[in-house]
Amino acid sequence: MSRKPLRVLTPRSILPALAVMLVLAAGAAAHANKPVPFGDRVAGPGAEATPVNSESLRAADLDLRVGPGLEAFHKQTGEQAWSYRREGAEALYLAMAGDNAIVVWDDGLVTSVRPGDHEVRWHRAVPGLADWLRGDGEPGADKRTDAQRKQLAKQRAAAALHTVQRDGSPWLALVTPNLTMGLRDADGDLRYNDKPANGCAYDPLRAVHTDYAVLIPRTCTNSGGQAVSGGLTGYRLDSNGWAMSTGPAATLKVLDRSRVEITDGPIVPAKVFDTKAAAPETACGTLDAPFAAVRPQGGCVDPAGAPATDAPVPAPATDAPAPATDAPAATDAPAGGQQAAAQQ
């Protein structure tokens, strides 16, 4: 056995161990105080930055509002159920994709929230969206008041977000003048992104959506900045998109869940495009009508089966009394009876 006495720990020998412990403690504290990703703060009423309880609600039972974050209120009582906010950002616009709430923020971030259990499902940054929302550098931007800037940002946020309520699988499109993106709502996965051709720009303020597709107009300008042509691009997730040429100021009007009316000036007649069939309606009376993929709402009347319009149909006489069926006709009466009646 060694005769060396047991080593006694001196203050000098303790210092390295204390240093290691201090480093570990500092790391643990830094980890505990680490900011929540994207600055998310979900809180209950009157409790800032604290988790809400585990109560699960139906989205139909809540009234959702934006500003400064996403605020949820009980419809029956009007009391606040929960609040979702992000540090340094303000919510501008809200749209529903199925049962989920899609929020556009002023810093160009888009988030999806499940209202029933107040869970933030995914985040997606849209390149160039924040700059377009602010409108910095545009003509007259320096003369806008704070109220005008805020109103402009809200208007553009509403134009940028389009939710497509496709049965069983909603998705959404984010549109800016220089980029359009399609996201699957189930997980926020990017399904497509597209840029306009050189010299062209998308017009989010004229874009529309149906339950099947998003239709985005674009305008192309010459070197002098004058609009020379236009077009229309349709996007879907379950099939290929399509494109058509239009004038630079074509307007779109949603008619129902699938049909959109396209008006391209006073000379060109308006046409209807069916986004479910991905084809335009064929007008009645044209040579293509019998072979049309999409016919007008209500169908077309077959001219062969319709009554002639140039020959009027005589209306039945309503003033003459109907002949009595139980009395014999005048021609069946004997000649003597007719003569006697004439004499009387």
Side-chain angles (χ1 to χ4, degrees):
M1 294 179 61
S2 174
R3 293 186 179 182
K4 293 182 179 181
L6 295 176
R7 185 179 180 183
V8 178
L9 293 178
T10 62
R12 179 174 295 180
S13 64
I14 294 175
L15 288 177
L18 288 176
V20 173
M21 294 180 64
L22 289 175
V23 171
L24 294 176
H31 181 76
N33 295 326
K34 183 180 179 180
V36 178
F38 306 102
D40 291 343
R41 293 290 186 268
V42 181
E48 288 293 333
T50 58
V52 296
N53 56 33
S54 59
E55 178 186 4
S56 181
L57 301 169
R58 295 190 311 162
D61 298 332
L62 297 173
D63 180 19
L64 301 177
R65 309 171 193 173
V66 289
L70 178 61
E71 318 293 331
F73 298 86
H74 295 280
K75 285 186 177 180
Q76 292 184 349
T77 63
E79 297 180 354
Q80 188 179 37
W82 50 264
S83 173
Y84 165 45
R85 302 185 183 184
R86 295 182 51 244
E87 293 181 358
E90 181 178 357
L92 298 177
Y93 182 69
L94 159 72
M96 300 301 294
D99 294 330
N100 301 315
I102 311 298
V103 184
V104 179
W105 302 82
D106 63 354
D107 61 353
L109 201 68
V110 178
T111 62
S112 175
V113 184
R114 186 163 48 229
D117 57 7
H118 36 73
E119 178 186 352
V120 184
R121 304 170 61 242
W122 50 260
H123 308 74
R124 175 66 68 172
V126 182
L129 177 58
D131 295 335
W132 184 64
L133 294 176
R134 289 192 299 266
D136 295 340
E138 298 177 352
D142 55 340
K143 298 180 181 180
R144 295 176 186 143
T145 64
D146 291 340
Q148 290 174 335
R149 293 189 187 96
K150 190 171 184 178
Q151 182 61 32
L152 176 66
K154 290 183 177 181
Q155 179 186 14
R156 291 186 172 184
L161 175 61
H162 293 267
T163 54
V164 180
Q165 311 293 342
R166 192 179 64 171
D167 297 339
S169 182
W171 63 279
L172 57 140
L174 284 311
V175 185
T176 70
N178 299 315
L179 177 68
T180 176
M181 299 169 54
L183 306 178
R184 187 169 55 194
D185 174 64
D187 50 12
D189 185 52
L190 177 64
R191 307 306 298 167
Y192 70 81
N193 63 82
D194 195 14
K195 292 185 177 182
N198 292 334
C200 301
Y202 295 125
D203 189 349
L205 296 177
R206 290 190 292 147
V208 298
H209 65 271
T210 67
D211 283 1
Y212 301 92
V214 175
L215 282 74
I216 305 175
R218 67 183 181 274
T219 302
C220 302
T221 57
N222 57 19
S223 58
Q226 297 178 341
V228 294
S229 64
L232 182 65
T233 308
Y235 297 92
R236 294 179 62 166
L237 285 192
D238 57 348
S239 64
N240 296 331
W242 62 89
M244 64 180 71
S245 298
T246 66
T251 60
L252 311 180
K253 179 182 178 182
V254 178
L255 301 179
D256 51 33
R257 291 185 58 194
S258 64
R259 299 184 308 141
V260 176
E261 183 182 64
I262 303 172
T263 304
D264 198 6
I267 300 178
V268 180
K271 55 185 176 182
V272 176
F273 194 90
D274 192 315
T275 60
K276 183 178 181 180
E281 287 186 356
T282 302
C284 295
T286 62
L287 297 177
D288 298 331
F291 313 100
V294 181
R295 295 192 177 187
Q297 195 81 354
C300 298
V301 178
D302 185 4
T309 55
D310 52 352
V313 178
T318 56
D319 297 332
T325 56
D326 53 349
T331 54
D332 295 335
Q338 292 179 355
Q339 293 175 357
Q343 292 175 358
Q344 291 178 358

Short mmCIF file of all heavy atoms in Angstrom, two decimals, residues 268-334:
data_model
loop_
_atom_site.label_atom_id
_atom_site.label_comp_id
_atom_site.label_asym_id
_atom_site.label_seq_id
_atom_site.Cartn_x
_atom_site.Cartn_y
_atom_site.Cartn_z
N VAL A 268 -63.39 43.82 -76.99
CA VAL A 268 -63.35 42.36 -76.89
C VAL A 268 -64.46 41.91 -75.96
O VAL A 268 -64.58 42.40 -74.83
CB VAL A 268 -61.98 41.89 -76.36
CG1 VAL A 268 -61.93 40.37 -76.25
CG2 VAL A 268 -60.86 42.41 -77.23
N PRO A 269 -65.32 40.99 -76.38
CA PRO A 269 -66.39 40.53 -75.50
C PRO A 269 -65.84 39.78 -74.29
O PRO A 269 -64.81 39.11 -74.37
CB PRO A 269 -67.24 39.60 -76.39
CG PRO A 269 -66.47 39.39 -77.63
CD PRO A 269 -65.36 40.35 -77.70
N ALA A 270 -66.52 39.93 -73.17
CA ALA A 270 -66.11 39.25 -71.94
C ALA A 270 -66.25 37.74 -72.12
O ALA A 270 -67.14 37.26 -72.83
CB ALA A 270 -66.95 39.73 -70.77
N LYS A 271 -65.37 36.99 -71.47
CA LYS A 271 -65.43 35.53 -71.53
C LYS A 271 -65.35 34.97 -70.12
O LYS A 271 -64.86 35.62 -69.20
CB LYS A 271 -64.31 34.97 -72.40
CG LYS A 271 -62.92 35.39 -72.00
CD LYS A 271 -61.89 34.87 -73.00
CE LYS A 271 -60.49 35.37 -72.68
NZ LYS A 271 -59.50 34.89 -73.69
N VAL A 272 -65.81 33.75 -69.99
CA VAL A 272 -65.85 33.08 -68.70
C VAL A 272 -64.89 31.90 -68.73
O VAL A 272 -64.91 31.11 -69.68
CB VAL A 272 -67.28 32.61 -68.35
CG1 VAL A 272 -67.28 31.83 -67.04
CG2 VAL A 272 -68.21 33.81 -68.25
N PHE A 273 -64.07 31.80 -67.71
CA PHE A 273 -63.09 30.71 -67.60
C PHE A 273 -63.46 29.85 -66.41
O PHE A 273 -63.70 30.36 -65.31
CB PHE A 273 -61.68 31.27 -67.44
CG PHE A 273 -60.60 30.25 -67.64
CD1 PHE A 273 -60.06 30.03 -68.90
CD2 PHE A 273 -60.15 29.47 -66.59
CE1 PHE A 273 -59.06 29.09 -69.09
CE2 PHE A 273 -59.16 28.53 -66.77
CZ PHE A 273 -58.61 28.33 -68.02
N ASP A 274 -63.50 28.54 -66.62
CA ASP A 274 -63.82 27.58 -65.57
C ASP A 274 -62.52 27.03 -65.00
O ASP A 274 -61.79 26.30 -65.68
CB ASP A 274 -64.69 26.46 -66.11
CG ASP A 274 -65.29 25.59 -65.02
OD1 ASP A 274 -64.54 25.22 -64.08
OD2 ASP A 274 -66.49 25.28 -65.09
N THR A 275 -62.19 27.38 -63.76
CA THR A 275 -60.92 26.96 -63.17
C THR A 275 -60.93 25.50 -62.75
O THR A 275 -59.87 24.90 -62.56
CB THR A 275 -60.59 27.83 -61.96
OG1 THR A 275 -61.63 27.71 -60.98
CG2 THR A 275 -60.46 29.29 -62.36
N LYS A 276 -62.09 24.90 -62.61
CA LYS A 276 -62.17 23.48 -62.28
C LYS A 276 -61.84 22.63 -63.51
O LYS A 276 -61.08 21.66 -63.44
CB LYS A 276 -63.54 23.11 -61.73
CG LYS A 276 -63.66 21.66 -61.31
CD LYS A 276 -65.04 21.36 -60.73
CE LYS A 276 -65.15 19.91 -60.27
NZ LYS A 276 -66.50 19.61 -59.71
N ALA A 277 -62.41 23.01 -64.64
CA ALA A 277 -62.15 22.30 -65.88
C ALA A 277 -60.90 22.81 -66.59
O ALA A 277 -60.45 22.18 -67.56
CB ALA A 277 -63.35 22.41 -66.81
N ALA A 278 -60.36 23.94 -66.11
CA ALA A 278 -59.18 24.55 -66.73
C ALA A 278 -59.40 24.83 -68.20
O ALA A 278 -58.55 24.55 -69.05
CB ALA A 278 -57.94 23.68 -66.53
N ALA A 279 -60.57 25.39 -68.52
CA ALA A 279 -60.91 25.68 -69.91
C ALA A 279 -61.93 26.81 -69.93
O ALA A 279 -62.71 26.97 -68.99
CB ALA A 279 -61.48 24.44 -70.60
N PRO A 280 -61.96 27.58 -71.03
CA PRO A 280 -62.96 28.65 -71.14
C PRO A 280 -64.31 28.09 -71.58
O PRO A 280 -64.38 27.04 -72.23
CB PRO A 280 -62.37 29.57 -72.22
CG PRO A 280 -61.55 28.65 -73.06
CD PRO A 280 -60.99 27.60 -72.13
N GLU A 281 -65.35 28.80 -71.21
CA GLU A 281 -66.67 28.45 -71.70
C GLU A 281 -66.79 28.82 -73.18
O GLU A 281 -66.30 29.85 -73.61
CB GLU A 281 -67.76 29.18 -70.90
CG GLU A 281 -67.96 28.66 -69.50
CD GLU A 281 -69.15 29.32 -68.82
OE1 GLU A 281 -69.74 30.23 -69.43
OE2 GLU A 281 -69.48 28.92 -67.69
N THR A 282 -67.44 27.94 -73.95
CA THR A 282 -67.67 28.20 -75.37
C THR A 282 -69.05 28.80 -75.55
O THR A 282 -70.04 28.24 -75.06
CB THR A 282 -67.54 26.90 -76.19
OG1 THR A 282 -66.24 26.34 -75.98
CG2 THR A 282 -67.75 27.17 -77.66
N ALA A 283 -69.12 29.91 -76.24
CA ALA A 283 -70.38 30.62 -76.40
C ALA A 283 -71.35 29.81 -77.24
O ALA A 283 -70.96 29.08 -78.16
CB ALA A 283 -70.14 31.98 -77.03
N CYS A 284 -72.64 29.92 -76.93
CA CYS A 284 -73.67 29.24 -77.70
C CYS A 284 -73.75 29.84 -79.11
O CYS A 284 -73.51 31.02 -79.32
CB CYS A 284 -75.02 29.39 -77.01
SG CYS A 284 -75.13 28.59 -75.40
N GLY A 285 -74.06 29.02 -80.06
CA GLY A 285 -74.22 29.48 -81.43
C GLY A 285 -72.95 29.49 -82.24
O GLY A 285 -73.00 29.77 -83.44
N THR A 286 -71.82 29.18 -81.63
CA THR A 286 -70.56 29.14 -82.38
C THR A 286 -70.36 27.75 -82.97
O THR A 286 -71.03 26.78 -82.59
CB THR A 286 -69.38 29.49 -81.46
OG1 THR A 286 -69.30 28.52 -80.41
CG2 THR A 286 -69.57 30.87 -80.84
N LEU A 287 -69.41 27.66 -83.91
CA LEU A 287 -69.14 26.38 -84.55
C LEU A 287 -68.56 25.36 -83.57
O LEU A 287 -68.70 24.15 -83.77
CB LEU A 287 -68.18 26.58 -85.72
CG LEU A 287 -68.70 27.46 -86.88
CD1 LEU A 287 -67.62 27.63 -87.94
CD2 LEU A 287 -69.95 26.84 -87.48
N ASP A 288 -67.90 25.87 -82.51
CA ASP A 288 -67.28 24.97 -81.54
C ASP A 288 -68.24 24.53 -80.44
O ASP A 288 -67.87 23.70 -79.61
CB ASP A 288 -66.06 25.64 -80.89
CG ASP A 288 -64.99 25.98 -81.92
OD1 ASP A 288 -64.91 25.25 -82.92
OD2 ASP A 288 -64.24 26.95 -81.70
N ALA A 289 -69.44 25.08 -80.40
CA ALA A 289 -70.37 24.80 -79.30
C ALA A 289 -70.67 23.31 -79.14
O ALA A 289 -70.69 22.79 -78.03
CB ALA A 289 -71.65 25.60 -79.49
N PRO A 290 -70.92 22.55 -80.23
CA PRO A 290 -71.23 21.12 -80.04
C PRO A 290 -70.07 20.32 -79.45
O PRO A 290 -70.28 19.24 -78.89
CB PRO A 290 -71.58 20.64 -81.46
CG PRO A 290 -71.95 21.86 -82.20
CD PRO A 290 -71.07 22.94 -81.64
N PHE A 291 -68.85 20.82 -79.59
CA PHE A 291 -67.69 20.07 -79.12
C PHE A 291 -67.02 20.74 -77.91
O PHE A 291 -65.89 20.43 -77.57
CB PHE A 291 -66.66 19.96 -80.26
CG PHE A 291 -67.26 19.55 -81.57
CD1 PHE A 291 -67.53 20.50 -82.54
CD2 PHE A 291 -67.57 18.22 -81.82
CE1 PHE A 291 -68.10 20.13 -83.76
CE2 PHE A 291 -68.13 17.84 -83.02
CZ PHE A 291 -68.40 18.79 -84.00
N ALA A 292 -67.71 21.67 -77.28
CA ALA A 292 -67.12 22.46 -76.20
C ALA A 292 -66.84 21.60 -74.97
O ALA A 292 -67.63 20.73 -74.59
CB ALA A 292 -68.06 23.61 -75.81
N ALA A 293 -65.68 21.86 -74.36
CA ALA A 293 -65.36 21.18 -73.10
C ALA A 293 -66.17 21.77 -71.96
O ALA A 293 -66.54 21.06 -71.02
CB ALA A 293 -63.86 21.31 -72.81
N VAL A 294 -66.44 23.07 -72.01
CA VAL A 294 -67.22 23.75 -70.98
C VAL A 294 -68.29 24.57 -71.67
O VAL A 294 -67.97 25.44 -72.49
CB VAL A 294 -66.34 24.66 -70.11
CG1 VAL A 294 -67.19 25.34 -69.04
CG2 VAL A 294 -65.20 23.87 -69.48
N ARG A 295 -69.53 24.29 -71.35
CA ARG A 295 -70.64 25.05 -71.92
C ARG A 295 -71.12 26.09 -70.91
O ARG A 295 -70.88 25.95 -69.72
CB ARG A 295 -71.80 24.12 -72.30
CG ARG A 295 -71.44 23.15 -73.41
CD ARG A 295 -72.66 22.46 -73.95
NE ARG A 295 -72.33 21.59 -75.06
CZ ARG A 295 -73.23 20.96 -75.82
NH1 ARG A 295 -74.52 21.12 -75.56
NH2 ARG A 295 -72.85 20.19 -76.82
N PRO A 296 -71.80 27.13 -71.37
CA PRO A 296 -72.28 28.15 -70.44
C PRO A 296 -73.19 27.57 -69.37
O PRO A 296 -73.80 26.51 -69.55
CB PRO A 296 -73.03 29.13 -71.36
CG PRO A 296 -72.41 28.92 -72.70
CD PRO A 296 -72.05 27.47 -72.77
N GLN A 297 -73.28 28.28 -68.26
CA GLN A 297 -74.13 27.85 -67.16
C GLN A 297 -75.56 27.71 -67.66
O GLN A 297 -76.13 28.62 -68.24
CB GLN A 297 -74.06 28.88 -66.03
CG GLN A 297 -74.60 28.37 -64.70
CD GLN A 297 -73.58 27.53 -63.97
OE1 GLN A 297 -72.52 27.24 -64.49
NE2 GLN A 297 -73.90 27.13 -62.75
N GLY A 298 -76.17 26.56 -67.45
CA GLY A 298 -77.52 26.30 -67.93
C GLY A 298 -77.56 25.64 -69.28
O GLY A 298 -78.63 25.21 -69.73
N GLY A 299 -76.40 25.54 -69.96
CA GLY A 299 -76.36 24.87 -71.26
C GLY A 299 -76.88 25.75 -72.38
O GLY A 299 -77.27 26.89 -72.20
N CYS A 300 -76.89 25.19 -73.58
CA CYS A 300 -77.36 25.89 -74.77
C CYS A 300 -78.65 25.24 -75.26
O CYS A 300 -78.82 24.02 -75.19
CB CYS A 300 -76.31 25.84 -75.88
SG CYS A 300 -74.74 26.65 -75.46
N VAL A 301 -79.56 26.05 -75.80
CA VAL A 301 -80.83 25.56 -76.34
C VAL A 301 -80.61 25.09 -77.77
O VAL A 301 -79.99 25.78 -78.58
CB VAL A 301 -81.90 26.67 -76.29
CG1 VAL A 301 -83.21 26.17 -76.90
CG2 VAL A 301 -82.10 27.14 -74.87
N ASP A 302 -81.12 23.90 -78.09
CA ASP A 302 -80.99 23.35 -79.44
C ASP A 302 -81.95 24.09 -80.37
O ASP A 302 -83.16 24.06 -80.18
CB ASP A 302 -81.32 21.86 -79.42
CG ASP A 302 -81.07 21.21 -80.78
OD1 ASP A 302 -80.59 21.91 -81.69
OD2 ASP A 302 -81.37 20.00 -80.92
N PRO A 303 -81.45 24.78 -81.41
CA PRO A 303 -82.35 25.53 -82.31
C PRO A 303 -83.37 24.63 -83.00
O PRO A 303 -84.47 25.07 -83.30
CB PRO A 303 -81.40 26.17 -83.33
CG PRO A 303 -80.05 26.17 -82.65
CD PRO A 303 -80.04 24.95 -81.78
N ALA A 304 -83.01 23.36 -83.27
CA ALA A 304 -83.95 22.47 -83.96
C ALA A 304 -85.16 22.15 -83.11
O ALA A 304 -86.25 21.91 -83.62
CB ALA A 304 -83.23 21.18 -84.36
N GLY A 305 -84.98 22.15 -81.81
CA GLY A 305 -86.10 21.81 -80.94
C GLY A 305 -86.87 23.01 -80.45
O GLY A 305 -87.89 22.86 -79.78
N ALA A 306 -86.41 24.20 -80.75
CA ALA A 306 -87.08 25.41 -80.27
C ALA A 306 -88.16 25.82 -81.27
O ALA A 306 -88.01 25.62 -82.48
CB ALA A 306 -86.06 26.54 -80.10
N PRO A 307 -89.26 26.42 -80.85
CA PRO A 307 -90.31 26.87 -81.77
C PRO A 307 -89.81 28.02 -82.63
O PRO A 307 -88.96 28.80 -82.22
CB PRO A 307 -91.44 27.33 -80.83
CG PRO A 307 -90.76 27.63 -79.54
CD PRO A 307 -89.61 26.67 -79.45
N ALA A 308 -90.33 28.10 -83.85
CA ALA A 308 -89.94 29.17 -84.76
C ALA A 308 -90.39 30.49 -84.19
O ALA A 308 -91.54 30.66 -83.77
CB ALA A 308 -90.56 28.95 -86.14
N THR A 309 -89.51 31.46 -84.22
CA THR A 309 -89.82 32.76 -83.63
C THR A 309 -90.41 33.73 -84.64
O THR A 309 -91.02 34.72 -84.26
CB THR A 309 -88.54 33.37 -83.03
OG1 THR A 309 -87.53 33.43 -84.05
CG2 THR A 309 -88.01 32.51 -81.89
N ASP A 310 -90.23 33.46 -86.00
CA ASP A 310 -90.74 34.40 -87.00
C ASP A 310 -92.20 34.12 -87.33
O ASP A 310 -92.87 34.94 -87.92
CB ASP A 310 -89.90 34.33 -88.27
CG ASP A 310 -89.75 32.90 -88.77
OD1 ASP A 310 -90.19 31.98 -88.04
OD2 ASP A 310 -89.22 32.72 -89.87
N ALA A 311 -92.74 32.96 -87.01
CA ALA A 311 -94.16 32.65 -87.27
C ALA A 311 -94.89 32.61 -85.94
O ALA A 311 -94.68 31.69 -85.15
CB ALA A 311 -94.29 31.31 -87.99
N PRO A 312 -95.75 33.58 -85.70
CA PRO A 312 -96.45 33.60 -84.40
C PRO A 312 -97.41 32.43 -84.28
O PRO A 312 -98.06 32.03 -85.24
CB PRO A 312 -97.19 34.95 -84.42
CG PRO A 312 -97.34 35.29 -85.86
CD PRO A 312 -96.12 34.72 -86.55
N VAL A 313 -97.51 31.88 -83.10
CA VAL A 313 -98.42 30.77 -82.83
C VAL A 313 -99.73 31.34 -82.37
O VAL A 313 -99.77 32.14 -81.43
CB VAL A 313 -97.82 29.84 -81.75
CG1 VAL A 313 -98.80 28.71 -81.44
CG2 VAL A 313 -96.48 29.30 -82.20
N PRO A 314 -100.88 31.00 -83.08
CA PRO A 314 -102.16 31.58 -82.67
C PRO A 314 -102.55 31.11 -81.28
O PRO A 314 -102.41 29.95 -80.94
CB PRO A 314 -103.14 31.05 -83.74
CG PRO A 314 -102.46 29.82 -84.28
CD PRO A 314 -100.99 30.08 -84.22
N ALA A 315 -103.04 32.06 -80.52
CA ALA A 315 -103.47 31.74 -79.16
C ALA A 315 -104.87 31.14 -79.20
O ALA A 315 -105.68 31.50 -80.05
CB ALA A 315 -103.46 33.01 -78.30
N PRO A 316 -105.17 30.21 -78.30
CA PRO A 316 -106.51 29.61 -78.29
C PRO A 316 -107.56 30.63 -77.90
O PRO A 316 -107.32 31.51 -77.07
CB PRO A 316 -106.38 28.50 -77.24
CG PRO A 316 -105.23 28.93 -76.38
CD PRO A 316 -104.29 29.66 -77.28
N ALA A 317 -108.75 30.53 -78.55
CA ALA A 317 -109.84 31.45 -78.25
C ALA A 317 -110.41 31.13 -76.89
O ALA A 317 -110.81 30.01 -76.62
CB ALA A 317 -110.93 31.34 -79.32
N THR A 318 -110.47 32.14 -76.06
CA THR A 318 -110.97 31.93 -74.69
C THR A 318 -112.39 32.48 -74.51
O THR A 318 -113.05 32.19 -73.52
CB THR A 318 -110.04 32.61 -73.69
OG1 THR A 318 -109.91 34.01 -74.04
CG2 THR A 318 -108.66 31.97 -73.74
N ASP A 319 -112.87 33.35 -75.49
CA ASP A 319 -114.20 33.97 -75.32
C ASP A 319 -115.32 33.05 -75.79
O ASP A 319 -116.45 33.15 -75.33
CB ASP A 319 -114.28 35.29 -76.10
CG ASP A 319 -113.28 36.30 -75.55
OD1 ASP A 319 -112.96 36.19 -74.34
OD2 ASP A 319 -112.83 37.18 -76.32
N ALA A 320 -115.05 32.14 -76.74
CA ALA A 320 -116.12 31.29 -77.27
C ALA A 320 -116.42 30.19 -76.29
O ALA A 320 -115.52 29.53 -75.78
CB ALA A 320 -115.69 30.69 -78.61
N PRO A 321 -117.74 29.95 -76.01
CA PRO A 321 -118.08 28.88 -75.06
C PRO A 321 -117.81 27.52 -75.66
O PRO A 321 -117.92 27.31 -76.86
CB PRO A 321 -119.58 29.10 -74.83
CG PRO A 321 -120.06 29.80 -76.05
CD PRO A 321 -118.93 30.66 -76.51
N ALA A 322 -117.43 26.60 -74.81
CA ALA A 322 -117.15 25.24 -75.26
C ALA A 322 -118.44 24.55 -75.62
O ALA A 322 -119.47 24.75 -74.97
CB ALA A 322 -116.43 24.47 -74.15
N PRO A 323 -118.44 23.74 -76.69
CA PRO A 323 -119.70 23.05 -77.08
C PRO A 323 -120.10 22.03 -76.03
O PRO A 323 -119.26 21.40 -75.41
CB PRO A 323 -119.32 22.36 -78.40
CG PRO A 323 -117.82 22.24 -78.34
CD PRO A 323 -117.34 23.41 -77.60
N ALA A 324 -121.42 21.92 -75.85
CA ALA A 324 -121.93 20.94 -74.88
C ALA A 324 -121.79 19.56 -75.47
O ALA A 324 -122.28 19.28 -76.56
CB ALA A 324 -123.39 21.24 -74.55
N THR A 325 -121.16 18.67 -74.74
CA THR A 325 -120.91 17.33 -75.25
C THR A 325 -122.13 16.43 -75.13
O THR A 325 -122.21 15.43 -75.80
CB THR A 325 -119.75 16.69 -74.49
OG1 THR A 325 -120.04 16.70 -73.08
CG2 THR A 325 -118.47 17.47 -74.73
N ASP A 326 -123.10 16.80 -74.24
CA ASP A 326 -124.26 15.92 -74.06
C ASP A 326 -125.41 16.31 -74.97
O ASP A 326 -126.46 15.69 -74.97
CB ASP A 326 -124.73 15.94 -72.61
CG ASP A 326 -124.97 17.36 -72.13
OD1 ASP A 326 -124.58 18.29 -72.86
OD2 ASP A 326 -125.52 17.53 -71.03
N ALA A 327 -125.28 17.41 -75.73
CA ALA A 327 -126.35 17.83 -76.64
C ALA A 327 -125.99 17.41 -78.05
O ALA A 327 -124.83 17.47 -78.44
CB ALA A 327 -126.55 19.35 -76.58
N PRO A 328 -126.94 17.01 -78.91
CA PRO A 328 -126.62 16.61 -80.28
C PRO A 328 -126.19 17.79 -81.11
O PRO A 328 -126.61 18.91 -80.88
CB PRO A 328 -127.96 16.04 -80.81
CG PRO A 328 -128.99 16.68 -79.96
CD PRO A 328 -128.38 16.86 -78.61
N ALA A 329 -125.34 17.52 -82.04
CA ALA A 329 -124.85 18.60 -82.91
C ALA A 329 -125.98 19.09 -83.79
O ALA A 329 -126.94 18.39 -84.06
CB ALA A 329 -123.70 18.08 -83.77
N ALA A 330 -125.82 20.33 -84.32
CA ALA A 330 -126.88 20.95 -85.11
C ALA A 330 -127.11 20.18 -86.40
O ALA A 330 -128.21 20.11 -86.91
CB ALA A 330 -126.53 22.41 -85.43
N THR A 331 -126.07 19.59 -86.96
CA THR A 331 -126.24 18.88 -88.23
C THR A 331 -127.00 17.60 -88.06
O THR A 331 -127.49 17.04 -89.02
CB THR A 331 -124.87 18.57 -88.83
OG1 THR A 331 -124.07 17.86 -87.87
CG2 THR A 331 -124.14 19.87 -89.18
N ASP A 332 -127.11 17.08 -86.80
CA ASP A 332 -127.82 15.84 -86.58
C ASP A 332 -129.32 16.05 -86.39
O ASP A 332 -130.08 15.09 -86.33
CB ASP A 332 -127.26 15.12 -85.35
CG ASP A 332 -125.82 14.71 -85.60
OD1 ASP A 332 -125.44 14.55 -86.78
OD2 ASP A 332 -125.07 14.56 -84.60
N ALA A 333 -129.77 17.29 -86.24
CA ALA A 333 -131.20 17.55 -86.02
C ALA A 333 -131.99 17.33 -87.30
O ALA A 333 -131.49 17.59 -88.40
CB ALA A 333 -131.40 19.00 -85.54
N PRO A 334 -133.25 16.85 -87.25
CA PRO A 334 -134.05 16.65 -88.48
C PRO A 334 -134.34 17.96 -89.16
O PRO A 334 -134.40 19.02 -88.54
CB PRO A 334 -135.33 15.99 -87.94
CG PRO A 334 -135.37 16.29 -86.47
CD PRO A 334 -133.96 16.44 -86.04
#
